[in-house]
Amino acid sequence: MNIHRDILRIAIPAIVSNITVPLLGLIDVAIVGHLGSAAYIGAIAIGGMIFNVIYWIFGFLRMGTSGLTSQSLGGRDLAECVRLFIRSFGIGIAVAAMLMVLQVPIRTLALLVMRPTAEVAALATTYFNICIWGAPAMLGSFAVTGWFIGMQNSRIPMIVAISQNVINIIASLLLVFSFGMKVEGVALGTLIAQYGGLLIALVLGWRHYGRLRVHYTSSRLWERSSMLLFLRVNRDIFLRTLCLVSVMLFFTSAGSWQGEQMLAVNTLLMQLYLFFSYFMDGFAYAGEALCGKWYGARNTAMLNATVRSVFVWGAAMMLLFTLVYAAGGNLFLRMLTDEAGVLSLAGGYLFWSVILPVAGMAAFVWDGIFIGLTATRSMLISMFAAAASFFAVYHLAMPAMGNHGLWLAFAVFVFMRGAVLTLLYRF
């Protein structure tokens, strides 16, 4: 058995799928970045962060489903694989309904915490009021994607992601440049694509896995022991995500407090980190699927061999992105905006994009491995320690270093996640 081949079989489609996510964000930023005001970039940053917070909080629908499904597949329990799909998808739709009911207080609280300027707040409100109606599609897609990865299939999520993002880009460009819309055009394009992506995922899922319906038994769908395991795993991921959200929300807010230009600078530089992170997640997904399968099959030798191999690929990606960002970071920023003041200010912070891949590589690889093992308590501990480090470094460094102190705190945060998980690995 060739471990590297198995890793690439899952990772390459996942990378192609994941890479469309930051590319889509870049297209949105690039569209509004040429509308003549930094406020549009700020609105996309604020509106996007609100939904990142919402969807990160409920990211357990993907991560928990992936780990449990891969373990059930490794243990050859196909009936439980089917039940996991139904449980996760049903919970996702129920949570989405709750979010739509509570949309006004959620939006009000988010803007109160982030404190953008009046112009940015008005534009971000328009963006939010449209995109909130995509919650059922997004949370449903989380469940479906996690299930596919757990079934060792990253090709369908790749097809779905590419299709969804092509729809989004085309719709946004048409609505903004052909119909004269601005932020509302970008938001409507996103909404259209979200439901299109879910529909494609369900159709392809039925086509490839419809035969598994013969294994379905409703009597154990809400079985107490299975539900307790599902809830325990997802509780830890939920609390872990709250720590992550607190850091990311504070990071965006701290940029907003420094004015529209600094908010725009941090938004542009964060796109570089997000591009790296979604790329690395392809190998994390491979770690989820394969480590979960070997853990479910009780094959410790293959589990540890897979861990070593995933880290080899993670190190290669770290080196690649460090070199690319060091050589071409300025060109990348100029592709995103033509605002001279923003570009000039961003140049002084560009070196952080070179540091972050080195600091954060281990965190991404370990996240995938620990999700596959459903060792979610260790993930919670590492994220709590990393978040505490972020806030401590920020308050110590910000008075003397300004916005550089914010980026230093973020670099410490991503490093600590990987460092603590390295200490906690015991399999």
Side-chain angles (χ1 to χ4, degrees), residues 34-104:
H34 292 84
L35 292 179
S37 172
Y40 290 112
I41 299 178
I44 292 296
I46 295 294
M49 179 55 67
I50 293 173
F51 284 105
N52 284 341
V53 169
I54 293 172
Y55 296 139
W56 281 338
I57 287 174
F58 299 104
F60 62 78
L61 291 168
R62 191 203 68 74
M63 292 183 282
T65 301
S66 172
L68 292 170
T69 301
S70 63
Q71 289 182 21
S72 295
L73 181 67
R76 300 184 181 278
D77 189 349
L78 294 179
E80 183 61 15
C81 290
V82 176
R83 288 192 292 268
L84 280 165
F85 177 92
I86 297 173
R87 285 186 199 121
S88 187
F89 189 82
I91 290 173
I93 298 302
V95 170
M98 178 189 68
L99 291 175
M100 290 187 294
V101 170
L102 298 175
Q103 61 179 281
V104 173

Side-chain angles (χ1 to χ4, degrees), residues 296-311:
R298 303 296 186 264
N299 191 330
T300 304
M302 285 303 300
L303 169 61
N304 286 315
T306 300
V307 170
R308 290 191 295 270
S309 298
V310 174
F311 262 99

Side-chain angles (χ1 to χ4, degrees), residues 336-347:
L336 295 180
T337 184
D338 52 11
E339 292 288 322
V342 173
L343 287 171
S344 176
L345 190 59

Side-chain angles (χ1 to χ4, degrees), residues 344-364:
S344 176
L345 190 59
Y349 295 90
L350 192 57
F351 70 92
W352 289 109
S353 66
V354 178
I355 293 173
L356 288 174
V358 178
M361 180 275 291
F364 290 105

